[in-house]
Amino acid sequence: MPDTSRPPTSSSLTGSAADVSSSEESTPLGTVSIAPVSIATVSVAKTAHHVAAASAPVRVALLIISDTRTPDTDTSGQYLLAELQAQGHQVTSYRIVKDDAVEIRAALVAFVREATIVISSGGTGITGRDVTIPVVESLITKPIPGFGELFRMLSYAQVGGAAMLSRAVAGLCRGAVIFALPGSLNAVTTAWEGLLKSELSHLAFEVTRHGQPGVADLGGARPAGNLFSPPAATPAGTLNNLTGKPAAAKAPELGRHKPGSGNGS
């Protein structure tokens, strides 16, 4: 009969427990072992409505903040344009503005009126010219802190402590979600592949299904098979639209707003 009063020897441990013991012996006292985060291996359980909304096209506007970039040299913006179009989303506007708070705010206020998702890139650091985050935070009415937290977690696995310098942020402004990303292509790729690519349609679904305070109620059912994009005509007066040509007559849009309502008017 085995002596149950004595603790088990190392030979009686399971494989996983033995592995833990071995790992502890090889780790210096006072240090922490952090497993790297692999974007490709993350498995996510999705609810039924999450799956149903996963492929719906979304109206997206892109704002690039830079003193030096042009459409020809804007690798981050061109990457996002290609990825969004490959996923079937509708890019309503693509614009490059200087690191100037007034220009950034004006573009964002216009974009949240025409798109459900607004993605900005640039100006999220701590230099004297980085003014994007205060502008975005002044417009946000419902913060989404998890985005910045997860983005910096993914970045830490790639660049270490330098990830703390990014102030990437996200939140709702009226009927749209604004994501403020860093300007580098590597950071934009991390945010897109690790967080945004699989979630844009789900985010749009959550934003629009119950409406948002200060957003006009359009009434009626959404078009079948296209929960988040209105008819294909580009609204008249759209700022810096992709074709550069005069826009057609305005069509009804999800996320239109009552004059003078909400933040950022």
Side-chain angles (χ1 to χ4, degrees):
M1 177 179 295
D3 186 352
T4 58
S5 65
R6 301 181 61 185
T9 63
S10 59
S11 61
S12 66
L13 294 174
T14 63
S16 60
D19 291 342
V20 171
S21 176
S22 174
S23 174
E24 288 175 348
E25 291 177 358
S26 62
T27 302
L29 183 64
T31 64
V32 178
S33 177
I34 302 177
V37 178
S38 173
I39 295 175
T41 59
V42 174
S43 177
V44 181
K46 299 183 183 295
T47 63
H49 77 263
H50 192 155
V51 173
S55 61
V58 179
R59 291 171 62 83
V60 183
L62 291 181
L63 180 65
I64 308 302
I65 296 121
S66 172
D67 288 333
T68 59
R69 293 188 186 183
T70 67
D72 292 333
T73 61
D74 178 26
T75 54
S76 297
Q78 295 302 322
Y79 168 81
L80 287 171
L81 278 173
E83 289 292 325
L84 287 164
Q85 290 167 350
Q87 294 294 312
H89 299 303
Q90 181 183 354
V91 180
T92 62
S93 293
Y94 162 64
R95 189 189 230 186
I96 300 176
V97 300
K98 301 292 186 182
D99 287 288
D100 178 84
V102 173
E103 289 191 37
I104 295 168
R105 183 182 179 87
L108 290 174
V109 168
F111 285 1
V112 299
R113 293 178 177 273
E114 68 182 52
T116 307
I117 303 292
V118 177
I119 301 176
S120 75
S121 174
T124 65
I126 61 173
T127 73
R129 294 292 291 168
D130 292 328
V131 297
T132 302
I133 297 305
V135 174
V136 172
E137 289 178 337
S138 74
L139 295 173
I140 286 176
T141 55
K142 288 183 181 179
I144 306 178
F147 170 75
E149 294 163 359
L150 289 171
F151 173 76
R152 282 178 282 276
M153 179 192 74
L154 294 174
S155 297
Y156 179 74
Q158 298 175 347
V159 300
M164 77 174 76
L165 299 179
S166 173
R167 296 183 292 156
V169 70
L172 272 70
C173 174
R174 294 179 169 180
V177 182
I178 302 175
F179 292 96
L181 313 182
S184 74
L185 178 58
N186 182 61
V188 167
T189 302
T190 297
W192 175 256
E193 292 292 337
L195 298 170
L196 300 181
K197 183 176 182 178
S198 63
E199 291 297 322
L200 283 193
S201 295
H202 181 222
L203 282 161
F205 174 82
E206 293 294 338
V207 168
T208 59
R209 66 171 172 154
H210 292 155
Q212 295 293 331
V215 179
D217 182 6
L218 298 179
R222 297 185 179 92
N226 193 346
L227 293 178
F228 312 111
S229 294
T234 303
T238 296
L239 293 179
N240 202 20
N241 62 46
L242 299 178
T243 64
K245 299 178 181 179
K250 183 178 288 295
E253 301 174 9
L254 288 178
R256 298 302 298 169
H257 312 288
K258 299 175 182 177
S261 63
N263 195 5
S265 58

